Amino acid sequence: MSDFSRPEGPRIIAVANQKGGVGKTTTAINLAAALVETGLRVLVVDLDPQGNASTGLGIEAGDRGLTTYDLLVDDTPLEEVIYATEIEDLCIIPATVDLSSADIELFANEKRSFLLHDALRQTAMDEYDWDYVLIDCPPSLNLLTVNAMVAAHSVLIPLQSEFFALEGVSQLMLTIREVRQAANPNLRIEGVVLTMFDRRNNLSQQVEQDARENLGELVFKTKIPRNVRVSEAPSFALPVLNYDSNSLGAQAYRALAEELISVHQNVAA
Ligand SMILES: Nc1ncnc2c1ncn2[C@@H]1O[C@H](COP(=O)(O)OP(=O)(O)OP(=O)(O)O)[C@@H](O)[C@H]1O
Ligand SMILES: [Mg+2]
């Protein structure tokens, strides 16, 4: 991909699905950790007032001084909102519940959809030399998610291997199309990743079949299994790769990172 090379800045990926609890945050955190393991530098942007990505990467609520809210609403410089994590080369811009009022506060701002886009293109960005920026979106197609899609090169869609999984995907695709038309013509779909996959469950198999039939090549080959270590890791404030490196969840996120990187290398070649 022509826009994936260091001199032109990081590849920015919005992790989005307006459905709640499908694995957005889990994917943002663990894919980030898996990319870092391959030697890349990654920034996670927590764009969800729930702040789950911040908690999952060890930034406790009380330690979140300046956050995504300040970056978007108050034009706070990038370097004041970036926090290091326990993991070298993995940083985060954390979020707090303050962010939930951004929608209303920004309503009259005519640049309201471009705030994250502009923030992530400050010249200070160059010094950090990120390879990837992963944006963890809230479970809604609101102004925050639109900001992520306007800022991003692509959207990565986690799809829970559960009943009604595909419901809502057409609405999400429609929003992506609208963002392309209005603001970001080059926005791509990075891919759809099946999460919480249970190979012993017929329903998971059915969801996979439906997804591959309907979305074809957009669906990543890698599936993320349902794995208790994945769900335990956030309470230890660590990605599963660092909490239990050999777990099936950690292995799956490594495979996803490899698949993601290889797609970009192939397109660039
Ligand atoms: N592969 C997995 N195996 C087991 N549990 C998982 C897995 N992926 C996610 N979970 C659990 O499912 C729940 C929802 O995941 P997560 O918070 O990542 O979803 P989300 O889409 O970010 O939710 P929200 O829409 O509220 O932001 C969490 O409790 C998480 O620990
Ligand atoms: Mg989340």
Side-chain angles (χ1 to χ4, degrees):
M1 182 147 310
S2 61
D3 61 1
F4 180 67
S5 63
R6 286 200 158 197
E8 291 171 40
R11 182 164 185 83
I12 304 175
I13 303 178
V15 182
N17 186 337
Q18 76 276 22
K19 221 168 142 97
V22 298
K24 292 180 289 295
T25 302
T26 305
T27 297
I29 290 177
N30 292 303
L31 179 59
L35 289 166
V36 166
E37 254 191 19
T38 72
L40 299 173
R41 291 173 49 76
V42 182
L43 173 68
V44 171
V45 179
D46 193 344
L47 201 60
D48 184 353
Q50 297 179 102
N52 294 337
S54 311
T55 310
L57 286 175
I59 314 296
E60 287 175 28
D63 295 334
R64 293 171 213 164
L66 294 167
T67 63
T68 314
Y69 174 90
D70 302 284
L71 182 72
L72 298 184
V73 180
D74 286 338
D75 271 340
T76 301
L78 203 57
E79 50 272 33
E80 293 181 32
V81 295
I82 292 180
Y83 292 57
T85 71
E86 290 287 314
I87 298 147
E88 209 184 328
D89 293 333
L90 176 53
C91 290
I92 181 164
I93 305 179
T96 60
V97 70
D98 289 359
L99 194 56
S100 56
S101 61
D103 242 349
I104 298 164
E105 286 178 48
L106 293 169
F107 185 73
N109 185 331
E110 59 184 29
K111 295 200 75 185
R112 61 184 174 272
S113 302
F114 290 85
L115 299 171
L116 185 61
H117 172 279
D118 293 353
L120 293 179
R121 277 146 183 98
Q122 295 177 26
T123 46
M125 211 49 195
D126 299 342
E127 286 153 39
Y128 290 103
D129 215 12
W130 309 113
D131 295 289
Y132 283 90
V133 175
L134 301 184
I135 307 168
D136 184 27
C137 293
S140 153
L141 293 172
N142 62 8
L143 181 59
L144 291 169
T145 298
V146 168
N147 259 273
M149 290 184 181
V150 173
H153 298 107
S154 62
V155 183
L156 192 155
I157 305 168
L159 201 67
Q160 186 179 355
S161 313
E162 264 301 331
F163 206 52
F164 296 134
L166 283 164
E167 216 187 46
V169 170
S170 51
Q171 183 62 41
L172 179 57
M173 296 295 185
L174 198 64
T175 304
I176 292 171
R177 223 169 295 148
E178 284 168 2
V179 170
R180 276 189 193 131
Q181 281 165 7
N184 186 2
N186 297 323
L187 181 65
R188 299 170 61 107
I189 296 171
E190 191 68 60
V192 173
V193 59
L194 290 160
T195 62
M196 297 180 241
F197 191 84
D198 182 351
R199 61 190 169 79
R200 290 159 306 181
N201 183 334
N202 286 340
L203 194 53
S204 278
Q205 315 268 10
Q206 188 62 50
V207 170
E208 177 176 15
Q209 201 180 325
D210 287 353
R212 294 197 191 279
E213 265 168 29
N214 285 289
L215 302 165
E217 292 290 300
L218 287 180
V219 184
F220 281 101
K221 292 190 189 70
T222 306
K223 294 172 282 197
I224 309 299
R226 184 177 281 284
N227 174 226
V228 69
R229 307 304 259 172
V230 172
S231 54
E232 286 168 2
S235 56
F236 293 86
L238 286 172
V240 71
L241 283 87
N242 306 78
Y243 170 63
D244 185 349
S245 178
N246 294 322
S247 62
L248 289 177
Q251 292 176 32
Y253 276 109
R254 277 188 200 108
L256 182 65
E258 271 173 32
E259 197 178 341
L260 184 81
I261 292 168
S262 76
V263 167
H264 295 157
Q265 282 169 343
N266 288 342
V267 181

